[in-house]
Each structure stands twice: as structure tokens, then as C-alpha cells.
Amino acid sequence: MKAKPMEEFMPNTKLGKMQFQFAEIVWHYAPLPSGELARICQQELNWKKSTTYTVLRKLCEKGLFKNEDELVSVLMTREQFFAVKSERFVEETFGGSLPAFIAAVTSRKKLSPAEIDELEIVINNSRKEGRKEGRKEGTAEPSGMSRTAKVKS
């Protein structure tokens, strides 16, 4: 399943418990006919057809899915959804600073050697990608100015 690049849109990622359960079903089965989705939701969530279509409409409005010609498809994959949700959390809670987020998490939870190794891989991969995009070493922006410096200026 192919979804749009994340730069094209930033959907509303706030979902209630039932909306999230519904989204999990769509991510699992899509693309699928909307009638089939209603049948699955009746079996798995004990929903009426009208409830399925109401929730589907709301999640389509949020930019997660598309229901066109009675075919439900994914506009935002599950992985993209959680990436956007995480990005927004870090932005809103830590001013966009990943180091501040990691410092907060590790102040209460000691990282295992395996977790440290995984983080080093992520950082090293990010460095490689940054070089490809023309970023200067140690910055998050192509201009060479760190995100923190931009926030403070």
C-alpha cells in the first residue's frame, strides 16, 4: 500500500479509543470495499453499519483514509500516523527538541546496552541522511542553524 509523502499533509492525529480500533482494522485490511469494512466492524466491534460509515467519514476528514467509489484506502499508513503523532508530541512538549525528550525519558529509565546501540544506529543513519541533504554536522536544518537556535532567535 502506497501512501502520500508526509510533507504533503499533516492530518489530525487525535483519535478516541474506538476511532483508533477502527483505524487499526482499516490499516490491516485496506484497500477494501466499504461494505466489507462494515461487515468486519459488525463482527469485530459489534457496530451497526451506520456507526462504521460515521467513523469512516470522520477519519477521512482527518486525512487518514479515503472512501472513493465505495473503496476504502489508506492515505496515511500506521507508521506515518505514529511518526506524525510522535513529532507533534515532541514539538508541543519539548519545543521540538529530541535531546530534551530523550533526557526526560532517560532521567527515569536507564537505557539498556541494546537500546543505546539502536539509538546510535538511528543517529548515525540520520547523520548520513543529513549529509545527503546538505545539512551541516550537528544540525537539524539545511541552513546549518540548529532547530534550538532557530526557536530561540
Side-chain angles (χ1 to χ4, degrees), residues 122-136:
V122 169
I123 290 166
N124 289 332
N125 287 340
S126 182
R127 279 192 180 120
K128 289 176 191 171
E129 287 300 312
R131 286 188 201 110
K132 287 180 192 173
E133 294 173 6
R135 287 189 232 144
K136 290 185 180 176

Side-chain angles (χ1 to χ4, degrees), residues 31-37 53 56 60 65-73:
L32 78 162
S34 56
E36 177 70 9
L37 178 60
Y53 284 105
L56 175 60
C60 287
F65 308 119
K66 177 173 70 170
N67 184 17
E68 191 171 88
D69 299 325
E70 299 180 15
L71 182 69
V72 178
S73 57

Side-chain angles (χ1 to χ4, degrees), residues 22-23 25 27 32-33 35 37 48 69-70 83 104 108 113-115 117 129 134 140-141 149 152:
F22 176 82
I25 289 171
W27 284 319
L32 78 162
L37 178 60
K48 293 181 181 177
D69 299 325
E70 299 180 15
R108 296 179 48 98
E115 289 171 320
D117 290 344
E129 287 300 312
E141 303 293 329
K152 290 179 182 175

Side-chain angles (χ1 to χ4, degrees), residues 13-23 59 62 85:
T13 57
K14 292 182 181 177
L15 302 182
K17 181 180 178 183
M18 296 311 294
Q19 287 180 329
F20 182 73
Q21 288 179 349
F22 176 82
L59 296 190
K62 289 178 181 258
K85 196 167 182 65

Side-chain angles (χ1 to χ4, degrees), residues 64-98:
L64 272 69
F65 308 119
K66 177 173 70 170
N67 184 17
E68 191 171 88
D69 299 325
E70 299 180 15
L71 182 69
V72 178
S73 57
V74 172
L75 293 177
M76 173 183 258
T77 67
R78 187 177 193 279
E79 293 76 19
Q80 290 172 327
F81 173 81
F82 282 108
V84 170
K85 196 167 182 65
S86 299
E87 184 180 320
R88 284 195 176 139
F89 174 77
V90 171
E91 187 65 43
E92 292 169 4
T93 310
F94 298 96
S97 171
L98 278 174

